[in-house]
């Protein structure tokens, strides 16, 4: 009997030691709804694929909330190993000396397979510093695309198989949708990203000086979004808002729910919204490229990156960094990348994942799901490589505040855009003063 007890005790002790030997990797993220399910599934797949490490994903609020929480946690010595940061926080993270470890170094030190050239060039370039070192791991990279309700188009006498290609066509479609009884012909999500950043790149016009903040002197950048084209576009949206052809539904992703419910017939938002639409829309829908103004020379050009990347926080043990590298190695797998792309609508990140998805017949079976990739892989210009500005999280808030004044009829398009530039440049000047090269 005593021998049995000793054997049982030894077994329990061995199990306990095995559990203790497993290195935990804390991963803070901002994914909600179907994308939260995806993140949890990725962690589960990785954890089941090996015994040495355990990734623990934790939702920490919106992108700006999780970033603020991580900075506070870092100062108190409790930062996660991996932090998901949206693209507009990139310049701030780059300037946070000592708070992060470049992903290229993490992978190299662990002897993990990592080839930056395997990534879609526009994605890799955005997260790479001027010296050529990749700073963060591309994860849920997205771009802005156009979604429309085919059933609503049909009812309004519009061709359900042909999305509006230009802005004049969008406004004309909105008029017909309104006339057919649709209460919300068009809405827009992520206003600053879709109607200022992506709009600028798509039309090959300057958003900010210093190559939109991407030059080696990017910390000196100043905003330029009060050009005649920007004013014209916001004024057109303002006129549509006055007659109920464009309905503002709130900041960030708030407008997306009004599309999946069928309330709004057209929306411009992230390609990463696709998973939600595919799961929850009870109507026929289409995915298409962004509209453009046909009289603008150089349009359409290419869209800019959105979504987020994974940053590795400083101050962790070598064994933990090795676990992070193994996890990133898993995320880089072509099959994992392709499955994630097909499930979510986020970019496939690597050309291999794109090619695998194409060969599988996914794009042919789900028309429009290659829109994001096609918009991103065009040849880029200095105006369309991306936007990387300091204090941009706060500047996005200013953009929302000022544009809301336009939709409410309290400011003209020019007044609001002039104010965005003026207020935004104050924050950029502050960033420049605090920046240490």
């Amino acid at each position: 009997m005593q021998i049995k007890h000793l054997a049982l005790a030894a077994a329990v002790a061995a199990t306990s030691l095995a559990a203790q030997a497993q290195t935990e990797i804390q991963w803070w993220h901002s994914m909600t709804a179907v994308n939260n399910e995806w993140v949890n599934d990725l962690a589960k797949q990785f954890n089941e694929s090996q015994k040495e490490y355990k990734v623990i994903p934790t939702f920490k609020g919106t992108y700006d909330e999780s970033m603020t929480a991580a900075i506070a946690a870092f100062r108190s010595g409790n930062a996660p190993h991996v932090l998901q940061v949206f693209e507009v926080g990139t310049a701030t993270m780059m300037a946070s000396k000592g708070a992060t470890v470049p992903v290229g170094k993490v992978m190299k030190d662990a002897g993990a397979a990592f080839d930056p050239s395997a990534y879609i060039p526009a994605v890799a370039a955005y997260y790479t510093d001027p010296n050529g070192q990749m700073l963060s791991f591309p994860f849920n990279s997205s771009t802005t695309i156009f979604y429309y309700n085919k059933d609503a188009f049909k009812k309004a006498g519009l061709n359900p198989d042909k999305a509006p290609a230009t802005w004049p066509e969008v406004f004309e479609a909105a008029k017909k949708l309104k006339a057919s009884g649709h209460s919300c012909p068009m809405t827009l999500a992520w206003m600053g990203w879709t109607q200022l950043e992506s709009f600028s790149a798509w039309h090959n016009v300057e958003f900010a000086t210093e190559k939109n903040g991407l030059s080696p002197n990017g910390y000196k950048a100043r905003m330029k979004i009060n050009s005649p084209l920007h004013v014209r576009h916001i004024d057109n949206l303002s006129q549509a808002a006055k007659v109920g052809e464009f309905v503002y539904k709130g900041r960030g992703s708030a407008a997306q729910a009004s599309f999946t419910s069928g309330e709004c017939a057209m929306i411009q938002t992230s390609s990463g919204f696709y998973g939600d639409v595919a799961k929850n829309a009870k109507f026929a829908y289409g995915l298409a490229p962004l509209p453009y103004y046909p009289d603008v020379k150089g349009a359409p050009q290419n869209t800019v990156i959105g979504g987020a990347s994974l940053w590795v926080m400083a101050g962790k043990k070598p064994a933990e960094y090795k676990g992070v590298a193994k996890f990133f190695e898993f995320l880089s797998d072509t099959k994992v990348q392709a499955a994630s792309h097909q499930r979510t609508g986020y970019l496939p990140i690597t050309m291999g994942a794109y090619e695998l998805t194409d060969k599988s017949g996914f794009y042919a079976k789900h028309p429009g799901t290659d829109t994001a990739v096609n918009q991103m892989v065009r040849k880029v210009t200095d105006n369309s490589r991306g936007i990387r500005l300091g204090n941009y999280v706060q500047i996005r808030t200013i953009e929302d505040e000022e544009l809301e004044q336009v939709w409410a009829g309290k400011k003209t398009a020019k007044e609001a855009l002039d104010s965005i530039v003026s207020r935004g440049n104050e924050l950029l000047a502050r960033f420049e003063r605090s920046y240490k090269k």
Side-chain angles (χ1 to χ4, degrees):
M1 198 68 180
Q2 191 175 7
I3 293 172
K4 283 186 180 179
H5 282 310
L6 286 171
L8 182 61
V12 169
T15 304
S16 177
L17 284 169
Q20 287 174 2
Q22 197 172 43
T23 302
E24 292 188 349
I25 307 297
Q26 298 293 333
W27 175 20
W28 288 6
H29 68 87
S30 299
M31 297 282 90
T32 60
V34 294
N35 288 335
N36 181 51
E37 294 169 12
W38 164 58
V39 162
N40 289 335
D41 285 348
L42 283 174
K44 186 173 181 236
Q45 287 168 32
F46 171 72
N47 293 341
E48 290 176 350
S49 71
Q50 46 71 55
K51 303 287 187 190
E52 206 171 342
Y53 307 101
K54 183 180 182 181
V55 168
I56 302 172
T58 305
F59 173 74
K60 295 297 284 190
T62 62
Y63 281 129
D64 48 350
E65 287 170 347
S66 63
M67 194 168 156
T68 302
I71 291 168
F74 174 74
R75 287 173 181 155
S76 63
N78 298 309
H81 299 85
V82 178
L83 173 67
Q84 183 191 29
V85 177
F86 60 162
E87 89 288 1
V88 298
T90 299
T92 300
M93 294 299 287
M94 286 175 69
S96 301
K97 307 295 184 184
T100 65
V101 182
V103 69
K105 175 174 169 41
V106 171
M107 300 302 276
K108 184 180 178 182
D109 290 352
F114 185 62
D115 179 14
S117 68
Y119 293 87
I120 291 175
V123 174
Y126 190 83
Y127 296 116
T128 300
D129 70 12
N131 298 322
Q133 169 136 272
M134 193 177 275
L135 300 172
S136 61
F137 182 83
F139 179 56
N140 59 311
S141 293
S142 63
T143 197
T144 316
I145 66 171
F146 183 86
Y147 298 81
Y148 69 103
N149 183 325
K150 290 188 173 185
D151 292 351
F153 266 49
K154 199 171 181 179
K155 185 185 173 187
L158 294 159
N159 184 346
D161 298 317
K162 188 176 184 296
T166 67
W167 272 107
E169 288 173 3
V170 169
F171 291 125
E172 187 58 33
K175 279 184 173 60
K176 291 183 177 178
L177 286 159
K178 181 75 175 172
S180 73
H182 217 89
S183 63
C184 177
M186 173 175 65
T187 191
L188 301 162
W190 297 105
M191 202 66 63
W193 180 40
T194 63
Q195 302 312 304
L196 296 176
E197 297 165 39
S198 293
F199 177 86
S200 299
W202 197 229
H203 289 83
N204 195 26
V205 296
E206 192 176 29
F207 182 90
T209 60
E210 297 294 343
K211 299 181 181 178
N212 292 340
L214 286 164
S215 80
N217 292 323
Y219 60 94
K220 294 182 177 180
R222 297 295 185 269
M223 299 183 76
K224 303 276 284 185
I225 54 168
N226 52 353
S227 76
L229 177 63
H230 290 102
V231 171
R232 168 186 165 193
H233 177 55
I234 298 304
D235 186 57
N236 285 341
L237 286 173
S238 173
Q239 300 310 313
K242 284 176 184 173
V243 293
E245 291 161 6
F246 156 52
V247 181
Y248 178 62
K249 290 288 185 179
R251 301 182 184 186
S253 62
Q256 292 177 174
S258 64
F259 180 78
T260 48
S261 71
E263 180 191 352
C264 297
M266 297 184 287
I267 187 172
Q268 288 169 47
T269 188
S270 169
S271 59
F273 178 46
Y274 170 71
D276 193 356
V277 175
K279 183 177 180 180
N280 297 314
K282 307 299 184 203
F283 50 84
Y285 58 86
L287 285 64
L290 292 181
Y292 63 97
Y293 287 99
D295 61 322
V296 176
K297 186 180 178 181
Q301 175 57 39
N302 64 280
T303 51
V304 292
I305 197 170
S309 64
L310 303 181
W311 288 78
V312 184
M313 303 302 287
K316 304 300 180 182
K317 297 173 182 175
E320 294 169 341
Y321 284 130
K322 191 171 182 183
V324 170
K326 288 291 182 187
F327 181 48
F328 286 175
E329 210 171 25
F330 164 80
L331 293 177
S332 300
D333 181 83
T334 301
K335 288 181 180 177
V336 172
Q337 286 280 345
S340 290
H341 164 55
Q342 293 167 34
R343 175 174 178 173
T344 65
Y346 284 116
L347 291 166
I349 309 296
T350 63
M351 291 308 296
Y354 168 70
E355 289 160 6
L356 180 61
T357 300
D358 191 24
K359 286 176 186 172
S360 74
F362 181 82
Y363 297 134
K365 189 177 178 184
H366 304 279
T369 50
D370 58 348
T371 299
V373 181
N374 292 334
Q375 285 185 168
M376 287 288 289
V377 297
R378 299 162 186 252
K379 185 179 179 182
V380 298
T381 70
D382 283 344
N383 290 328
S384 67
R385 281 174 60 210
I387 290 146
R388 193 162 68 197
L389 303 176
N391 288 331
Y392 199 59
V393 176
Q394 297 94 314
I395 292 172
R396 274 259 186 99
T397 300
I398 290 171
E399 291 168 353
D400 285 334
E401 288 172 356
E402 294 293 342
L403 290 175
E404 283 169 351
Q405 294 290 303
V406 178
W407 316 143
K410 295 178 180 176
K411 279 191 177 183
T412 66
K414 187 168 192 319
E415 286 170 344
L417 292 174
D418 283 346
S419 185
I420 290 171
V421 169
S422 169
R423 295 174 65 191
N425 283 346
E426 285 177 18
L427 286 173
L428 289 173
R430 191 183 305 168
F431 179 78
E432 182 184 355
R433 288 192 296 271
S434 66
Y435 186 87
K436 293 186 176 69
K437 289 186 71 178

